[in-house]
Amino acid sequence: MRMNVGPRYVARTRGRRIVQAAVLCALPLLAGTGCIVTSGQVMVSFELADVSIPTVASALRQDIDLNTISEYQDYKQDLKGLADLAILGQVHNMGAATSVEFWMTPGLTLHTTAAAVRGDATAVPVWGPFAVAAGATEQIDWDDSAALFVGRAPLLAEAQGDGSFSLYILPSSTATTATFDFNNGVIVLVLDAGI
Amino acid sequence: MKRWGFALLAGALVLPGGARAVSVGAGIFAGPSIPVIQDDTGTGVQFGLRLPIHVIPALTIEPFYARSNLGDVTETFNGTEYTRSGFDDDSFGVTLAMGGLGLSPGAPFYPYGSIASHNMTRAGSEDISEVGYELGLGFSFRLSPLAFNVRAGGGLVATGDTSRKFFNVNLGVATKLYGKP
């Protein structure tokens, strides 16, 4: 049998060697990274009802069930973390300068006052405080809101658990007065999940 | 036996050029960086500096610095439009390319792999300082005294149990600073 050892054959052989070597080099990298390759950051949102806070002592509740979000259901089993969190909406302050917070309880609760929320041992602050000048209407900026999110761990625990919890909006503990509306609210979660 | 096979393969790549001189170049590059399965950051631009070092003709070791300015994401929620800033990613690392990159002898098409330290920042988020990897293919051609490179590769930055992934395409130009022409 005649062997083809011309320049083209040598070039092809060398090309194959280079590709093989590249594949061999790639395998340790892929092995080292494991299943993190098959993951992504998926955005989901949950719309909140419009609420009015009449006094500084008030707290208003909304029960959240993440299971009503189809994308959340799709990724819940492989949820690894929360890559980004925000509460968005508009705050219309009808009184003196004040600030706003969001708290959550892991279970569904029925508190109606700010004191009751803060007095609940299971309640944790998740967002805020967000300051609003007297008489002002503030649109919450997405970047600013992400920076105000302080409840990543408890919210992740809920997202990885039953996905159901109570969310409270209330004036900050430092506020001396509060009469405001919170409109067009939405919670935005970026799920860090396997795909 | 497989170890010996790999050693022989590596030797076949390195020995023919072993006696040749070392050369060092410098180059710049830029191109789009496209996030993959990342809803919270958009397509942006990546640019940077490379220092291709040819110890042997079929292999280039290339320290680099890259910066990616990823795009913002705008979404409408409950009737209102909001914008989330994209990440800025600074990375320092090294690329290993199976080719001369147009500055030294080697096939015009070449595979490459890189490892780098990434620092990803954006407003309202904790910084992500993690190791990243990229694998891809490049094409080089020379218009003396410059060498041009087009590269396309997939990269990821490990973030615990998950990762941030990107598809990067860039055009680079380099010149030899030291070594035989």
Side-chain angles (χ1 to χ4, degrees), chain A residues 18 22 24 26 29 33 36-37 39-43 47 80 84 89-90 139-140 142-143 146 184-185 192 195, chain B residues 6 9 12 37-39 58 77-78 80 82-85 98 111 122 124-125 133 135 158 160-165:
Chain A
I18 289 171
L24 287 170
L29 286 178
T33 54
I36 66 171
V37 174
S39 64
Q41 289 71 43
V42 181
M43 189 183 300
E47 293 186 1
K80 309 293 185 187
D84 203 39
Q90 293 95 36
Q139 167 110 6
I140 302 171
W142 198 344
D143 286 345
N184 302 321
D192 225 347
I195 54 175
Chain B
F6 180 70
L9 179 64
I37 321 174
Q38 295 186 61
D39 289 350
F77 298 111
N78 233 348
T80 306
Y82 296 90
T83 298
R84 184 74 172 108
S85 296
M98 303 280 185
R122 74 169 165 188
S125 290
Y133 310 90
L135 294 171
D161 293 333
T162 59
S163 61
R164 295 265 179 182
K165 288 170 286 298

Side-chain angles (χ1 to χ4, degrees), chain A residues 13-185:
Chain A
T13 303
R14 187 167 192 180
R16 276 197 289 270
R17 282 178 180 167
I18 289 171
V19 172
Q20 287 166 359
V23 171
L24 287 170
C25 289
L27 289 176
L29 286 178
L30 292 174
T33 54
C35 64
I36 66 171
V37 174
T38 55
S39 64
Q41 289 71 43
V42 181
M43 189 183 300
V44 300
S45 61
F46 189 97
E47 293 186 1
L48 303 174
D50 292 350
V51 294
S52 293
I53 290 283
T55 70
V56 73
S58 305
L60 286 173
R61 183 190 93 252
Q62 180 162 357
D63 293 335
I64 308 293
D65 185 0
L66 297 176
N67 297 294
T68 59
I69 308 170
S70 61
E71 293 95 335
Y72 168 74
Q73 289 183 318
D74 292 343
Y75 296 101
K76 181 178 180 180
Q77 294 305 317
D78 293 312
L79 184 60
K80 309 293 185 187
L82 296 174
D84 203 39
L85 303 152
I87 290 178
L88 306 174
Q90 293 95 36
V91 182
H92 174 47
N93 186 6
M94 295 165 287
T98 189
S99 56
V100 183
E101 294 179 359
F102 279 85
W103 286 57
M104 66 166 279
T105 58
L108 300 180
T109 50
L110 299 170
H111 303 306
T112 56
T113 66
V117 173
R118 291 195 177 91
D120 185 333
T122 67
V124 289
V126 292
W127 186 88
F130 179 74
V132 191
T137 298
E138 297 276 358
Q139 167 110 6
I140 302 171
D141 177 80
W142 198 344
D143 286 345
D144 293 342
S145 178
L148 291 174
F149 223 105
V150 295
R152 184 181 300 265
L155 199 56
L156 175 60
E158 280 308 302
Q160 290 177 320
D162 63 6
S164 180
F165 56 94
S166 289
L167 186 71
Y168 289 89
I169 182 171
L170 60 158
S172 300
S173 58
T174 54
T176 55
T177 180
T179 307
F180 61 83
D181 295 336
F182 179 71
N183 299 321
N184 302 321

Side-chain angles (χ1 to χ4, degrees), chain B residues 16 38-39 45 48 51 63 66-67 82 89 102 111-113 115 117 127 131 136 146 148 150-151 160 164 168 177:
Chain B
Q38 295 186 61
D39 289 350
V45 175
L51 292 174
R67 181 175 177 84
Y82 296 90
D89 179 14
Y112 70 89
I115 184 168
S117 170
D127 293 356
V131 175
L146 300 176
F148 293 86
V150 180
R151 293 184 192 177
R164 295 265 179 182
N168 298 319
L177 300 176

Side-chain angles (χ1 to χ4, degrees), chain B residues 4-172:
Chain B
W4 281 107
F6 180 70
L8 288 172
L9 179 64
L13 287 169
V14 305
L15 284 176
R20 300 189 187 185
V22 171
S23 71
V24 178
I28 56 174
F29 65 95
S33 181
I34 304 162
V36 178
I37 321 174
Q38 295 186 61
D39 289 350
D40 62 339
T41 197
T43 297
V45 175
Q46 185 188 54
F47 54 92
L49 305 168
R50 296 170 176 151
L51 292 174
I53 301 168
H54 305 275
V55 181
I56 48 179
L59 193 68
T60 301
I61 298 169
E62 193 179 56
F64 69 89
Y65 162 75
R67 181 175 177 84
S68 298
N69 296 127
L70 296 168
D72 298 344
V73 170
T74 299
E75 295 280 345
T76 300
F77 298 111
N78 233 348
T80 306
E81 196 171 83
Y82 296 90
T83 298
R84 184 74 172 108
S85 296
F87 282 99
D88 291 332
D89 179 14
D90 288 292
S91 58
F92 295 91
V94 63
T95 295
L96 189 66
M98 303 280 185
L101 312 190
L103 293 176
S104 287
F109 286 97
Y110 57 89
Y112 70 89
S114 66
I115 184 168
S117 170
H118 289 255
N119 186 40
M120 300 175 68
T121 61
R122 74 169 165 188
S125 290
E126 291 182 0
D127 293 356
I128 299 172
S129 297
E130 297 288 353
V131 175
Y133 310 90
E134 181 169 329
L135 294 171
L137 289 171
F139 172 73
S140 63
F141 60 96
R142 183 163 191 173
L143 292 174
S144 191
L146 300 176
F148 293 86
N149 280 268
V150 180
R151 293 184 192 177
L156 67 81
V157 178
T159 53
D161 293 333
T162 59
S163 61
R164 295 265 179 182
K165 288 170 286 298
F166 304 92
F167 181 67
N168 298 319
V169 180
N170 58 65
L171 174 65

